[in-house]
Amino acid sequence: MSNLRIGVLGAGIVGLTTAEELTRQYPSADVTIMADKFNVETTSDGAAGLFMLVSKFRGPTEELTRKWVQDSYDYYMELLHKDCGIFEIYGYSLSDSTRDACWCPIMASVLPLYRAATHEELIQFPGNWKHGNYSKALIARARTFLPWTLKRLECNPNVKIVRRLVNSLRDLESEFDVIFNCSGLGAARICNDPFVIPIRGQVMKVEAPTVDEFCLAGRSYIIPSGHGVVTLGGTHQFGYDSTHINANDSAGILARCSALLPELKSSRVLWEWAGLRPYRHVTRVEAETLGQLKVVHNYGHGGSGLTTGPGTSKYAVAQLKHIMLSNSKL
C-alpha cells in the first residue's frame, strides 16, 4: 500500500491528526489535505481547548470511547514539552444538582488526578454547588497547535495541502484511492448525512493573567488558555447555524462567569467568537466503499474534537488496512 493516493478532507484537529497518523503508518503514501478553511478559519481554532469529554459525546461503545480518549491523552502527552500549545492545567467541575452532572467515569479512568471536591473547595465558589470534582487535565491551544501541526505536515515531501471545497466524495474517485472524511459539519452536505447537526457555541476571550485554573459549572466555563488569555463561555444551541456574535449571549456569559469568579468583571475583552460544533448522536468512524473509492469517515465529534480527535484518527487509520484487505478478497 506504499503507492496509495490518499486524500484527507478537513484541516481541523481531526483532519490534521488523521493526516499525521497516515504519514506515520504509511510513510511512502501520497497524502493530500483538502479543506476550504485552515487555522484561524476552523471551528477548532475558537475552541477553549480543555481536554474534557462533553456529556453528549458518544462513540459506538463505551469501551471504544474510552480508548479514543486514552489514545488522545497519550498523543498530547508526547507533545507536552514541545512549543506547540499543549500544557497541563488543574481545575474544578461543579454541579448544583446531581453528582452525575459533573462526574465522568471515562475521564476519571484516563486523567492522572480526578477526585471529588471537598466541601471547603465547593464553598469557595458563589452559588449552591452540591457536587464537584478536581482534576489535572490538559489544554490544547488550537491557535498555536493547528499551525504547528500543519507546518510539520508541510515539511513532508509526500504531503500536499490544497485549499479546496469538496461537495461530493464521488467527485474524488478518479484522483484518489482512499479518502479520509474529516469534514466535520461539512459531512451533512458531502455525505447527505441527516444526523449531523450544528451546535452553536459562543465564547469571549478576556485578559485575566491571574486566573490559572479552569472551572466548569453548568453551562458556564472559565478556561485559561495561556499567555494571560481566558476563555469564557458558553452557549450550547442545537440546530442554530449563525456565527454572528449575539449581544444577549455575550452579556449572559460575562454575568454568569463573573458570578463564579468576581475578578472577571474588570477583565478586558480581547475578542469574541461564535462557531458551530459538528454534532452527531454517535460519532462516525467507519469505512465504506463508493464505487472504486474507499472511504474512511471520521466526523461528528461535537464539542469533543480536541479530546477525542487524535484517538479517533488512530482508529480511523487502522480501518484502512481492513478495507483494503476485504476488497482484495472480492
Side-chain angles (χ1 to χ4, degrees), residues 113-186:
L113 171 65
Y114 196 93
R115 61 162 175 80
T118 66
H119 174 71
E120 289 72 23
E121 288 173 319
L122 290 176
I123 62 175
Q124 70 178 303
F125 297 99
N128 185 29
W129 304 107
K130 299 175 182 178
H131 303 276
N133 59 70
Y134 185 69
S135 59
K136 180 182 181 182
L138 295 168
I139 291 288
R141 187 174 58 236
R143 184 149 292 189
T144 302
F145 180 72
L146 288 180
W148 182 84
T149 305
L150 195 62
K151 186 174 181 179
R152 287 213 302 178
L153 288 163
E154 285 176 330
C155 292
N156 188 320
N158 292 330
V159 174
K160 296 178 183 177
I161 298 170
V162 179
R163 185 178 290 269
R164 176 179 178 181
L165 178 64
V166 175
N167 291 307
S168 170
L169 294 173
R170 297 302 291 266
D171 292 343
L172 304 172
E173 191 171 357
S174 63
E175 300 177 53
F176 299 97
D177 303 304
V178 184
I179 290 293
F180 281 79
N181 177 23
C182 311
S183 56
L185 199 59

Side-chain angles (χ1 to χ4, degrees), residues 5-326:
R5 301 169 302 162
I6 303 175
V8 177
L9 296 185
I13 290 288
V14 178
L16 295 188
T17 55
T18 295
E20 272 196 318
E21 186 65 23
L22 283 165
T23 61
R24 279 194 288 267
Q25 296 292 328
Y26 303 99
S28 299
D30 290 325
V31 177
T32 301
I33 301 169
M34 294 169 284
D36 62 327
K37 296 177 181 178
F38 291 88
N39 295 330
V40 297
E41 302 166 327
T42 66
T43 300
S44 297
D45 177 78
L50 180 65
F51 187 87
M52 197 67 64
L53 199 64
V54 300
S55 61
K56 294 186 181 297
F57 182 88
R58 295 289 182 276
T61 66
E62 183 174 343
E63 180 182 2
L64 188 54
T65 301
R66 188 186 306 275
K67 178 172 174 50
W68 289 347
V69 175
Q70 182 67 64
D71 286 345
S72 294
Y73 181 79
D74 294 342
Y75 168 86
Y76 289 126
M77 287 300 292
E78 289 183 2
L79 301 176
L80 188 60
H81 299 296
K82 299 183 183 295
D83 188 18
C84 63
I86 310 297
F87 59 91
E88 293 180 301
I89 190 170
Y90 293 83
Y92 294 91
S93 299
L94 309 174
S95 168
D96 59 3
S97 56
T98 66
R99 179 177 180 270
D100 289 343
C102 64
W103 186 268
C104 177
I106 290 178
M107 299 311 301
S109 71
V110 172
L111 295 180
L113 171 65
Y114 196 93
R115 61 162 175 80
T118 66
H119 174 71
E120 289 72 23
E121 288 173 319
L122 290 176
I123 62 175
Q124 70 178 303
F125 297 99
N128 185 29
W129 304 107
K130 299 175 182 178
H131 303 276
N133 59 70
Y134 185 69
S135 59
K136 180 182 181 182
L138 295 168
I139 291 288
R141 187 174 58 236
R143 184 149 292 189
T144 302
F145 180 72
L146 288 180
W148 182 84
T149 305
L150 195 62
K151 186 174 181 179
R152 287 213 302 178
L153 288 163
E154 285 176 330
C155 292
N156 188 320
N158 292 330
V159 174
K160 296 178 183 177
I161 298 170
V162 179
R163 185 178 290 269
R164 176 179 178 181
L165 178 64
V166 175
N167 291 307
S168 170
L169 294 173
R170 297 302 291 266
D171 292 343
L172 304 172
E173 191 171 357
S174 63
E175 300 177 53
F176 299 97
D177 303 304
V178 184
I179 290 293
F180 281 79
N181 177 23
C182 311
S183 56
L185 199 59
R189 178 188 77 256
I190 294 170
C191 303
N192 195 28
D193 188 339
F195 299 113
V196 179
I197 302 169
I199 302 179
R200 182 181 179 275
Q202 181 172 318
V203 300
M204 57 176 55
K205 307 282 184 171
V206 303
E207 187 177 46
T210 61
V211 178
D212 58 3
E213 291 188 324
F214 68 84
C215 181
L216 312 179
R219 60 193 178 114
S220 303
Y221 51 85
I222 301 166
I223 303 174
S225 55
H227 305 307
V229 178
V230 177
T231 302
L232 307 183
T235 63
H236 205 78
Q237 299 161 337
F238 267 82
Y240 285 69
D241 59 4
S242 172
T243 56
H244 294 293
I245 300 301
N246 183 293
N248 290 330
D249 288 336
S250 299
I253 289 168
L254 189 57
R256 294 194 308 271
C257 291
S258 297
L260 278 169
L261 199 61
E263 67 186 87
L264 292 172
K265 291 179 181 179
S266 59
S267 295
R268 181 166 67 98
V269 177
L270 301 173
W271 74 90
E272 296 183 77
W273 177 90
L276 307 177
R277 307 175 183 101
Y279 174 76
R280 196 174 187 274
H281 64 298
V282 177
T283 301
R284 190 182 186 191
V285 191
E286 63 181 8
E288 70 169 336
T289 300
L290 298 174
Q292 297 300 312
L293 185 66
K294 287 79 175 174
V295 179
V296 182
H297 299 287
N298 187 9
Y299 66 84
H301 297 67
S304 291
L306 282 161
T307 305
T308 62
T312 64
S313 296
K314 184 176 181 179
Y315 180 80
V317 172
Q319 305 312 300
L320 176 55
K321 186 175 293 185
H322 297 314
I323 195 172
M324 296 301 289
L325 287 174
S326 64

